[in-house]
Amino acid sequence: MARTEAIALPRERQGAAWWRTNATALLFMGPAMVLVLVFFLAPVVITFVMSFTDLATSTGLSNWQWIGSANYERMFRSQFWFTILGNTLVYVAIVLAFNVVVGLGVALLSLHVEPKAGGVFRALWLLPRISPSVVYALMWTWAAASPPFGMLNYIVAPFGLEPRFWLQSDPWLIVILINGFVGASFGMLILTSAIKAIPEDLFRAARVDGANALQIVRRITLPLVKWPILFVLVYQTMSLFASYEYILLTTNGGPGLYGTETWSVWAFHTALANYYGNLDFAYGAAMSAILVLLGLGISIVLLRVFRFGQLVAEPRVEVD
Amino acid sequence: MRVALRGLTKKFGEVVGVHELDLEIRSGEFVALLGPSGCGKTTTLLMVAGIYRPTSGQIFFGDRRIDHLLPKERGIGMVFQSYALYPHMTVAENIGFPLELRRSVSNEERERRVREAAALVQVDALLDRRPAQLSGGQQQRVALARALVKRPDILLLDEPLSNLDARLRHEMRGEIKRLQKEVGITAIFVTHDQLEALTMADRVALMRDGVLQAYATPTELYARPVNQFVAEFIGTPPMNFFAADLAPRNGSLVARTEGIELALPAGPRGAKAPPTATVGIRPEHLAIVAPGQGEASGEVYVVEPMGREQIVDVQVGERRLRVIAPPGFVAKIGERVGLRFAPEQLHLFDPASGARLA
């Protein structure tokens, strides 16, 4: 009603009418909008703005200046950016694959065994996620400790592998496993509930139609959890690009110069844990800005690949 | 193909789903498994389909024992209550799926048979649609086509009509019955709706609490229910029941209770009649007559016009009897009326066991 009246009103009163119509909606959405603005949008904007200054410990909050794209030029003139980008892409790709494949595998396996056993199995896979990050990382550092210690050394001994200091000799393996096992539980949770949500009748119908277990997984289950898989993929891509805590707590970017340094660890080291003591906030912000763009770009590609538009398309229903 | 169930039993832990079920289905017969929810009818169907493994007992298709076989080895087609169409496949892909899983069927043959099956249930214009783009009735037809495309020996239908609206249900009822006879396939369908069972099936197996109560043609089931449960379950509006004392009079029996006195034309056979019985009579076998006439008298409690007929509840003493009256019948609530019982249509049941006495 209010809307139709507004059309008939003189122009200067239309603003007031608009407010009357939408005030309630705005009031209800207000708190959520404030949260999104303050905690999601503002940090991104601040990061981008900051990346065009020289803000650092040395300038303090008062003496900084606009320096244009100097931070970006410096970044891409650095002899390490390419190595670090490579590290990042390899890290994200392998851990992502581990997360999704293992998560899906655990979800499928745990749903194909006796329900109670499956539940226990899934609970075990959740342990890395529910233990505090630092504790989990410390356990890995100890498990991968130098000989004669380290649980890993004991595990591989029967296979004839020489005991070694894993964090030094195979840093990527440790970095991928520590992140992979945590991340797999996320995929497992999402995909387990997604598979459980598929009506039982579809599996029964497929069995009557003549499909075996493998054919059911490939032809029925996987296509029907395509959307949750896409969600896990995109979400994990984003969080992996931004993740740094386990690398920081185990290899700290090493061994050597930037051995396992990823882009986010680089940004962290530059902005917040600089070796030289001059915390280069603005330069770190520029690195983070690149990370945001990278994550965004790859997510868009993933959405395209999965044809997101088709997934959420309106069904055409015709009543006969 | 002939189907035989022998002592079929399914237990879920301690709970008995189906108990010692014996059932013979003739080749080409259309049989309904009927009963209230939880009676074991769907469990039975899923055992025939091979989705549930029987706890004990045997299933034969023809002379072949099949209860150890996988669903795909049994030569069955099945329509699920939810239709269970694969939402990510088109109609053609859905119908073709069972054939696609068979190496022996070539692509050309598959396409031809998909078109044939689709034409049989009149969905050939919808082949490139997805299930979400179909109405309930169309989904039902696609599910039928998918069940029939591999030319199964036996067609199983689980509550095939329960997800359709009333008008469509009526239409599909006839459609499925015609299709079953046309294809000549042995078919078993599960329903909780006695009207569906009576109208569609050649024979109805009525179950309760996992136990078979009756297995007969719709006519027999209706006209001569073997126990009180069957009498109660079959027929709308349901049969009227009341407890009565039986007493001999002039070599025959009289059933007597407050306000009603009925001479029984043929008393319970055997030497001695029990002292009491549950008397049952269907609403259409009662007629409203002038007060003082008939075997009982009471007053009109409520009148429900149904168009073709009216349902009149008559209060007789403590109990209420339901009567079907012609559309022209006019009565006010509270009006005194008499009731005439059609003498040949009385059913007597044992008050304790519910078994039929006469």
Side-chain angles (χ1 to χ4, degrees):
Chain A
M1 280 303 283
R3 206 171 258 281
T4 44
E5 281 163 17
I7 294 162
L9 286 173
R11 183 163 292 188
E12 64 269 21
R13 291 200 50 206
Q14 278 186 13
W18 185 89
W19 273 111
R20 260 208 315 281
T21 316
N22 296 308
T24 321
L26 285 175
L27 201 67
F28 276 102
M29 289 196 299
M33 279 165 70
V34 168
L35 282 180
V36 168
L37 288 177
V38 172
F39 290 104
F40 296 135
L41 200 60
V44 175
V45 173
I46 292 171
T47 300
F48 272 96
V49 170
M50 215 200 313
S51 72
F52 295 103
T53 71
D54 63 354
L55 188 72
T57 323
S58 56
T59 67
L61 282 174
S62 45
N63 291 324
W64 59 268
Q65 286 177 322
W66 295 104
I67 56 166
S69 60
N71 280 328
Y72 292 92
E73 285 158 29
R74 181 178 161 202
M75 195 186 329
F76 291 109
R77 269 202 315 272
S78 149
Q79 53 176 316
F80 299 112
W81 79 270
F82 198 74
T83 316
I84 292 169
L85 180 67
N87 282 351
T88 309
L89 294 180
V90 168
Y91 162 76
V92 171
I94 297 182
V95 176
L96 190 65
F98 188 105
N99 283 349
V100 176
V101 171
V102 174
L104 183 64
V106 172
L108 283 172
L109 277 178
S110 70
L111 289 173
H112 276 82
V113 296
E114 199 268 321
K116 246 182 215 157
V120 172
F121 189 50
R122 283 196 297 274
L124 287 177
W125 276 84
L126 272 181
L127 283 177
R129 188 161 292 274
I130 56 179
S131 48
S133 309
V134 178
V135 173
Y136 175 63
L138 275 179
M139 283 172 62
W140 269 100
T141 15
W142 290 339
S146 59
F149 308 109
M151 196 179 67
L152 277 181
N153 283 327
Y154 288 94
I155 292 174
V156 299
F159 302 99
L161 280 172
E162 286 293 310
R164 64 187 89 174
F165 184 18
W166 293 86
L167 277 176
Q168 287 292 332
S169 60
D170 304 272
W172 276 117
L173 181 70
I174 302 303
V175 164
I176 285 163
L177 288 181
I178 185 171
N179 282 287
F181 278 102
V182 167
S185 63
F186 177 76
M188 175 198 80
L189 277 184
I190 302 283
L191 296 174
T192 303
S193 51
I195 295 170
K196 271 188 178 168
I198 300 174
E200 181 64 30
D201 273 357
L202 286 186
F203 298 120
R204 290 175 171 171
R207 281 167 65 194
V208 171
D209 285 345
N212 59 34
L214 215 65
Q215 284 168 325
I216 290 177
V217 168
R218 208 167 56 80
R219 302 292 309 274
I220 310 293
T221 315
L222 287 185
L224 290 179
V225 295
K226 196 166 143 184
W227 169 231
I229 289 177
L230 172 65
F231 168 73
V232 172
L233 266 178
V234 173
Y235 186 90
Q236 289 289 75
T237 308
M238 299 293 221
S239 42
L240 282 173
F241 269 115
S243 73
Y244 66 95
E245 68 271 34
Y246 295 120
I247 297 181
L248 200 71
L249 288 166
T250 50
T251 64
N252 196 17
L257 204 53
Y258 302 138
T260 55
E261 187 103 340
T262 59
W263 205 276
S264 54
V265 177
W266 194 29
F268 180 86
H269 279 150
T270 305
L272 300 168
N274 199 311
Y275 177 80
Y276 306 102
N278 179 23
L279 301 183
D280 220 336
F281 303 128
Y283 189 26
M287 293 169 180
S288 305
I290 295 293
L291 207 55
V292 170
L293 294 176
L294 207 61
L296 213 59
I298 289 178
S299 300
I300 289 172
V301 169
L302 285 176
L303 290 173
R304 278 282 158 80
V305 167
F306 276 82
R307 280 176 287 177
F308 178 73
Q310 227 180 55
L311 278 169
V312 295
E314 293 265 339
R316 288 183 292 147
V317 176
E318 214 174 83
V319 178
D320 65 6
Chain B
M1 177 156 305
R2 189 177 62 89
V3 177
L5 313 182
R6 304 257 162 82
L8 201 62
T9 298
K10 176 71 185 175
K11 289 183 189 163
F12 300 98
E14 287 303 299
V15 182
V16 178
V18 175
H19 182 71
E20 296 280 334
L21 178 63
D22 291 302
L23 207 62
E24 290 266 353
I25 296 159
R26 290 189 284 266
S27 190
E29 200 174 21
F30 197 14
V31 164
L33 299 177
L34 173 67
S37 56
C39 74
K41 56 193 190 297
T42 296
T43 305
T44 304
L45 194 77
L46 291 178
M47 283 193 282
V48 175
I51 286 161
Y52 284 169
R53 184 187 294 271
T55 309
S56 61
Q58 302 165 345
I59 305 172
F60 292 88
F61 286 177
D63 296 323
R64 197 164 61 116
R65 185 172 167 190
I66 55 93
D67 45 83
H68 58 284
L69 295 181
L70 290 172
K72 61 174 174 179
E73 298 162 336
R74 296 189 177 194
I76 49 168
M78 185 158 177
V79 175
F80 290 82
Q81 182 173 9
S82 60
Y83 313 136
L85 298 179
Y86 310 121
H88 55 293
M89 299 184 195
T90 63
V91 167
E93 286 165 346
N94 263 287
I95 300 174
F97 190 66
L99 299 180
E100 214 183 314
L101 295 169
R102 290 188 186 177
R103 292 263 162 73
S104 56
V105 180
S106 69
N107 283 351
E108 299 79 54
E109 192 191 346
R110 185 175 77 232
E111 275 171 37
R112 188 174 52 75
R113 280 168 66 174
V114 165
R115 274 198 306 276
E116 263 175 34
L120 188 67
V121 294
Q122 297 146 36
V123 291
D124 34 348
L126 309 169
L127 285 177
D128 59 344
R129 298 273 191 98
R130 289 187 186 251
Q133 301 165 333
L134 301 177
S135 69
Q138 291 167 337
Q139 291 187 27
Q140 162 94 80
R141 289 164 189 272
V142 174
L144 272 167
R146 186 180 63 185
L148 291 172
V149 75
K150 55 187 165 176
R151 297 170 186 157
D153 298 321
I154 290 148
L155 179 63
L156 307 175
L157 306 129
D158 184 12
E159 298 272 3
L161 304 174
S162 63
N163 282 357
L164 301 176
D165 64 53
R167 196 178 59 83
L168 209 51
R169 195 178 304 162
H170 193 162
E171 184 186 320
M172 284 311 290
R173 215 160 69 193
E175 195 99 336
I176 292 176
K177 187 173 180 175
R178 185 195 56 83
L179 192 69
Q180 188 265 337
K181 291 291 171 240
E182 198 175 294
V183 180
I185 192 171
T186 309
I188 307 175
F189 84 103
V190 158
T191 179
H192 63 271
D193 183 344
Q194 47 111 3
L195 189 66
E196 255 173 58
L198 296 181
T199 50
M200 290 166 74
D202 298 322
R203 276 197 289 175
V204 178
L206 180 55
M207 296 176 71
R208 179 172 68 161
D209 298 335
V211 178
L212 183 67
Q213 302 290 313
Y215 184 39
T217 64
T219 321
E220 284 167 3
L221 218 53
Y222 190 82
R224 217 180 139 73
V226 294
N227 61 38
Q228 197 183 336
F229 172 76
V230 177
E232 230 174 316
F233 198 83
I234 305 284
T236 1
M239 190 185 275
N240 299 297
F241 294 100
F242 51 89
D245 296 321
L246 299 187
R249 188 173 69 189
N250 302 339
S252 176
L253 272 178
V254 174
R256 197 179 288 133
T257 182
E258 187 199 358
I260 305 173
E261 191 173 303
L262 293 168
L264 302 179
R269 318 223 185 284
K272 52 175 187 198
T276 59
T278 303
V279 178
I281 185 152
R282 294 199 183 276
E284 63 267 37
H285 298 139
L286 284 171
I288 294 180
V289 291
Q293 294 184 12
E295 289 81 17
S297 64
E299 42 194 63
V300 173
Y301 182 78
V302 73
V303 180
E304 299 165 274
M306 308 272 290
R308 192 183 47 197
E309 65 207 18
Q310 306 187 64
I311 299 172
V312 183
D313 286 13
V314 178
Q315 186 84 34
V316 180
E318 290 291 296
R319 62 189 59 84
R320 212 166 283 155
L321 298 182
R322 198 163 275 153
V323 184
I324 290 190
F329 174 75
V330 185
K332 281 198 287 288
I333 286 176
E335 198 174 313
R336 286 208 66 79
V337 291
L339 284 179
R340 171 147 296 147
F341 287 66
E344 299 298 328
Q345 304 294 350
L346 290 170
H347 306 271
L348 290 188
F349 302 102
D350 184 304
S353 69
R356 181 178 190 88
L357 296 171

